[in-house]
Amino acid sequence: QICLKKKLSKDTPPRYDWFQTELVVTVVIYTKQKDIVSESVIVDLEDDQLRAETRLTEYSYLLHLKLSYKVQEDISVHIAGKVGKIELNMKKTDRTTWNELGRPLKAHNSFTKHKDQDLFYRKCKLVAKNDIAYNTKLFCLQLPLGTHLQVPIGQHVYLKHTIEGIELVRPYTPVCHSLQPELQEATQCTSRCIYLMIKIYPAGAFTSKIDSLQIGEDIDMSNPTGNFNKSQLQGVKHLFLLAAGTGFTPMANLLRYAVNNNSSLRKIKLMFFNRTENDILWRDQLKQLDLKEQRFAVEFVLSEPTEGWIGKQGKISLPLLSDFINTSTEGSKPLICICGPSMFTEQGIRFLQTLGYSEQEIHAFTE
Ligand code: NAD
């Protein structure tokens, strides 16, 4: 007997199969890859349409079908990561035997690069809105029951709104509910919730519209996208975070992850640039974390301080950075993440390069 052993490459397309019982229809996706995690799988079930995207390095495998019959609203997703198998279970609305799973829709059964795919949007419900600064709110958006989606650390989503016939789209990086893991989420906010910290600009058409959303109203939210990967933290001993204004948002999840899940990090330092004290987002939480977590330290720098401010002042500069990222990092692998207004990020990267940090040691969050 000749056994042809097929070599699995990163480019090997997954395949799918389906089966049914009287009550349940199950779709199985065989990714042919190991270590599939929950955030690699994005599923949307709406009425009788199923869209399941599996992200494998830079490729996505898409199932996109109009199902033969309507199913119940929710879907359960099971991932057997070690064997690369994904199971989607849908509940039938009656005991009809299905002859086929459904009819193919656009790009069904395709395996293409993420960057060549259209961003998919689903309607999310605003379930909470809380002030966190005079001009910034924490919006809690709830995913529909038929959606399975987790935003990877450092990635962003887009919100879409049509204003006077013009479709406007803006990127936002989800944050954790709080920096303190022990803080329980509000009862209505479950793992189906995505938290967005949004600064409301009075003259900004988009943010004013978001601000006027009432609890219970819907807004379109896209699939996640972004250029950060948790694996960039592998082997890192010193993590430096440089954030300006709402550029803090990608740092929030990263910081929480670094503190709670990465024991190999010896030092985590955040330098947070703002105009005034009132603009500092989650100041109390950051100070508390600084007190509680030995490895973490935060420094606030204000560009428009009031007279009483005794902390650091000014904008991003070479002396500020060389002082902050001091030479104790010699011989150990640092990662420096930066995010804020584009001029801030560009200047910061130039200063870091002047200080001798390489491309691999600097990560700029961009949209
Ligand atoms: P802001 O205008 O209140 O400024 C905050 C601080 O940034 C200032 O105190 C100053 O220190 C610094 N700064 C501002 N302009 C600067 C300049 N021209 N040169 C050097 N430093 C400067 O900030 P904001 O209104 O909160 O805006 C935050 C920005 O971050 C937005 O532009 C947003 O698009 C960006 N952002 C990007 C991402 C991402 O790329 N993933 C995520 C979140 C926010």
Side-chain angles (χ1 to χ4, degrees), residues 28-296:
V28 186
I29 301 166
Y30 301 95
T31 65
K32 305 176 192 172
Q33 286 191 32
K34 283 184 180 168
D35 301 323
I36 299 296
V37 292
S38 185
E39 56 195 39
S40 320
V41 186
I42 305 168
V43 182
D44 286 277
L45 174 67
E46 200 189 345
D47 296 327
D48 55 356
Q49 294 203 8
L50 173 69
R51 188 185 184 281
E53 182 177 329
T54 306
R55 294 183 165 185
L56 307 163
T57 50
E58 78 235 64
Y59 285 86
S60 278
Y61 176 66
L62 188 71
L63 283 187
H64 196 195
L65 289 154
K66 182 173 167 58
L67 300 169
S68 290
Y69 296 91
K70 265 197 171 176
V71 287
Q72 291 182 31
E73 209 182 342
D74 57 329
I75 186 162
S76 71
V77 178
H78 297 285
I79 297 161
K82 293 261 179 302
V83 291
K85 197 171 94 171
I86 301 156
E87 228 179 72
L88 316 175
N89 292 304
M90 297 172 284
K91 288 180 234 135
K92 290 181 179 176
T93 45
D94 57 36
R95 291 168 188 251
T96 312
T97 301
W98 295 22
N99 294 327
E100 56 172 12
L101 182 58
R103 270 198 302 109
L105 295 174
K106 190 181 170 201
H108 171 63
N109 209 13
S110 63
F111 191 51
T112 47
K113 290 200 168 178
H114 311 311
K115 62 177 177 60
D116 299 332
Q117 273 192 348
D118 296 338
L119 269 184
F120 180 78
Y121 287 81
R122 80 278 300 143
K123 289 207 178 309
C124 294
K125 186 178 284 176
L126 178 68
V127 290
K129 179 166 69 166
N130 293 304
D131 290 338
I132 49 170
Y134 69 99
N135 56 2
T136 307
K137 294 181 183 176
L138 189 63
F139 290 78
C140 175
L141 298 179
Q142 193 175 52
L143 296 166
L145 271 177
T147 296
H148 169 98
L149 181 154
Q150 268 173 273
V151 183
I153 287 172
Q155 294 206 2
H156 54 272
V157 294
Y158 291 89
L159 294 185
K160 186 165 78 175
H161 222 306
T162 304
I163 300 172
E164 291 168 11
I166 301 168
E167 201 173 80
L168 295 180
V169 164
R170 295 284 184 276
Y172 293 101
T173 311
V175 296
C176 36
H177 168 250
S178 144
L179 289 176
Q180 294 148 290
E182 66 276 11
L183 246 182
Q184 285 298 312
E185 296 185 6
T187 44
Q188 79 271 36
C189 289
T190 60
S191 60
R192 286 202 292 124
C193 281
I194 307 280
Y195 294 92
L196 301 176
M197 222 182 232
I198 302 182
K199 187 187 263 195
I200 312 298
Y201 297 95
F206 194 85
T207 57
S208 305
K209 189 77 196 171
I210 300 287
D211 194 30
S212 69
L213 270 185
Q214 299 298 307
I215 303 296
E217 287 186 329
D218 288 335
I219 181 146
D220 287 330
M221 193 193 81
S222 78
N223 281 355
T225 176
N227 58 359
F228 185 79
N229 196 312
K230 260 191 312 212
S231 63
Q232 287 171 250
L233 285 170
Q234 260 167 27
V236 170
K237 296 275 183 284
H238 293 84
L239 177 64
F240 298 98
L241 308 175
L242 303 169
T246 56
F248 169 66
T249 53
M251 309 301 180
N253 268 356
L254 179 54
L255 180 55
R256 190 170 146 140
Y257 175 80
V259 167
N260 297 310
N261 302 82
N262 196 319
S263 53
S264 64
L265 276 167
R266 283 195 220 126
K267 190 88 202 152
I268 306 157
K269 283 174 83 177
L270 166 68
M271 189 172 251
F272 195 1
F273 296 80
N274 283 281
R275 290 170 192 269
T276 71
E277 276 183 83
N278 292 337
D279 289 294
I280 305 175
L281 303 169
W282 280 358
R283 183 182 183 184
D284 289 345
Q285 289 201 40
L286 287 166
K287 278 172 38 185
Q288 274 177 29
L289 192 65
D290 184 324
L291 286 174
K292 199 179 108 192
E293 173 62 53
Q294 265 198 346
R295 297 176 300 156
F296 175 65

Side-chain angles (χ1 to χ4, degrees), residues 154 156 173 199 201 244-250 273-276 279 301-304 314-316 339-344 347 365-367:
H156 54 272
T173 311
K199 187 187 263 195
Y201 297 95
T246 56
F248 169 66
T249 53
F273 296 80
N274 283 281
R275 290 170 192 269
T276 71
D279 289 294
V301 185
L302 299 184
S303 58
E304 297 167 23
K315 286 190 175 172
I316 195 161
C339 187
S342 46
M343 284 293 283
F344 166 87
Q347 283 177 11
F365 288 97
T366 50
E367 288 149 349

